[in-house]
Amino acid sequence: MRIEQGDGRSGHRTLRTVALVLGGAAALSGALSGCISVNAPDKPIVIELNINIKQEVIYRLADDVKQNIESNPEIF
Amino acid sequence: MAHASNPKSRRRAIAGAMILALATAALPLQAQQRDPAYAAARAAGQVGEKTDGYLGIVGASTPELRALVDDLNIKRRANYTERARAQSATLEEYAFTQGCVLILRTVPGEKYQAPGGTWQTRGTGAPERDSRCP
């Protein structure tokens, strides 16, 4: 009984492996047959990193940045 | 009494004080002016103010322009880092806010970066800025 159960389990496992391999092959062949060509853009890709800056922070800093120009005019 | 009543010595004392005042005022003024090469590049539209608070090269780059822009941007970054810390803000937040004000303070003919990333020439009207700018 125990041996049969063990065989049954391994049989399930084999089926599952076969299914996975078949699925993978199907996905691969699908990807190969439906080729998509991607062209590199001629303009550089600009990632907007300033999107997370909050307006309230900008307003809080507004006076200090104006003072900064008066204090260090040679770098502006 | 004798000193004040002598107009010659009084005039000399005033002249001396004026020369001293001019000399002490001239020293920091000289150090605070824009570098002539930088002023020329700005006026010629070869460099412009970016939205991120740093300078950018607008047209074709040359080693001289690159060196000029890099030097100023390194100095700006050090300055922003220090001031951001004092204000408990991030470097990016401070630099961006500085960029808002620097773009606003460009004069007609100078270049600045619009929110979309394109270079614009400052006209007589207000510059195109990010909607969050003060």
Side-chain angles (χ1 to χ4, degrees), chain A residues 48 50-55 57-62 64-76, chain B residues 31-32 34 38 42 72 75-76 79-80 83 87-88 92-94 96-98 101-102 105 131-134:
Chain A
E48 189 56 74
N50 302 319
I51 212 86
N52 289 322
I53 299 174
K54 300 270 193 295
Q55 191 169 25
V57 178
I58 293 169
Y59 273 73
R60 181 167 66 79
L61 297 172
D64 195 81
V65 300
K66 283 173 195 159
Q67 274 177 29
N68 195 23
I69 300 176
E70 316 307 328
S71 307
N72 303 286
E74 73 281 359
I75 60 167
F76 302 112
Chain B
Q32 280 177 3
R34 262 180 201 157
Y38 170 43
R42 267 186 87 98
L72 282 164
K75 286 176 181 164
R76 282 187 181 190
N79 166 269
Y80 296 161
R83 305 224 22 148
Q87 295 293 319
S88 305
E92 288 73 23
E93 285 166 345
Y94 197 93
F96 185 83
T97 312
Q98 189 76 75
V101 175
L102 288 172
R105 292 200 182 184
S131 59
R132 292 164 293 174
C133 282

Side-chain angles (χ1 to χ4, degrees), chain A residues 3-71:
Chain A
I3 295 163
E4 274 179 0
Q5 268 184 347
D7 279 345
R9 269 190 209 143
S10 78
H12 278 298
R13 211 172 293 154
T14 313
L15 271 174
R16 212 179 299 153
T17 312
V18 168
L20 274 173
V21 169
L22 281 173
L28 195 71
S29 69
L32 285 174
S33 63
C35 267
I36 300 161
S37 66
V38 179
N39 297 318
D42 37 342
K43 280 183 184 173
I45 300 160
V46 179
I47 300 161
E48 189 56 74
L49 293 169
N50 302 319
I51 212 86
N52 289 322
I53 299 174
K54 300 270 193 295
Q55 191 169 25
E56 59 193 76
V57 178
I58 293 169
Y59 273 73
R60 181 167 66 79
L61 297 172
D63 285 336
D64 195 81
V65 300
K66 283 173 195 159
Q67 274 177 29
N68 195 23
I69 300 176
E70 316 307 328
S71 307

